[in-house]
Amino acid sequence: MVAFLELLNVQPGERVLEVGTGTGWTAALLTALGAGVTTIEIDPVIASAADQRLRATGFDAVVLIGDGAEGAPESGLFGGVHVTCAVTEIPYPWVEQTRPGGRIVAPWQPEFGDGHKVLLTVTEDGRAIGRLTGTAHYMMLRSQRGGFHLPEDTAGAAETGTCLDPRQVTEGGYGADAAIAGMLPDVMALPQHETGRFELLLADTGGTSWARVSRTGGAEHHVRQAGPRRLWDEVADAYQRWVGWGRAERSRFGMTVGQNGHQVIWCDDPTNIITP
Ligand SMILES: C[S@@+](CC[C@H](N)C(=O)[O-])C[C@H]1O[C@@H](n2cnc3c(N)ncnc32)[C@H](O)[C@@H]1O
């Protein structure tokens, strides 16, 4: 939380929207830093307890009950949005409700790999642009909780082999995670260690295709893939592209949320978009 507060870098008197009130602790810290805080919580019981706690301890934050994905449209423009639940897609209302030059800090949890802190700055023309800055593990925003799911029909898989170790792909580091998530935003990954033999499950969010890659003790690993897409092939290609970029570190990647709300990932420069 401190790392996010440092990223947001609120200025005294600045209006800040917090998404995900929880205990009220972050709202209290933002208020203590001099911000004018509006905080929104989807769970009415949690919101009311936080409201009472903030009042009892003398912190003057406005607590709203509602879906933070909509922001607080009745509350005017904010200088910053501090998000304390993870999102796969940045909801566009957060961009619309932030003044040009204002910042949005959020935990970005893509479908593939680890979560990342993102710091976005809102532009005059209604976009939000910024870099990935570190790791973040937060509970998901309620409306974006999907979770890994395989298509119901998993019969009829094509069986092949791969020399690329699936463990290497999922443990390639934060840069690899960000690159693959950027290139394949709708591919979900579930690494499995339980059976003693590493397996990587892949599925697309559209529910059309899946893959199961099982690590063997040898040089070739076992691949089963089904559906119109060959998801392991796509992930392996994306991984090799990342290797070709000199195994780019996470700090080289960034995000742009466009005027239409569409989110893309880029490498090095916002013009070098890697999202298809
Ligand atoms: C990690 S906690 C936030 C911690 C909080 N900032 C604190 O200082 O205690 C995430 C909170 O986000 C809330 N939440 C989840 N989805 C939400 C949504 N769509 N809108 C608003 N709040 C949401 C959860 O109910 C939970 O209280």
Side-chain angles (χ1 to χ4, degrees), residues 1 18 20-26 40-42 46 66-68 84-85 138-142 145:
M1 197 181 292
E18 186 209 4
T21 312
T23 61
W25 172 239
T26 313
I40 185 161
E41 167 61 52
I42 201 160
I46 292 176
D67 183 357
T84 59
C85 38
Y138 273 72
M139 75 163 70
M140 292 298 293
L141 183 88
R142 201 173 276 188
R145 283 177 198 163

Side-chain angles (χ1 to χ4, degrees), residues 10-11 33 41 57 79 111 121 150 152 184 197 207 211 222 261-262 270:
V10 302
Q11 302 302 309
L33 288 168
E41 167 61 52
T57 46
E111 303 291 356
T121 302
L150 279 176
E152 277 174 22
L184 301 172
R197 185 180 62 157
H222 186 211
H262 183 58

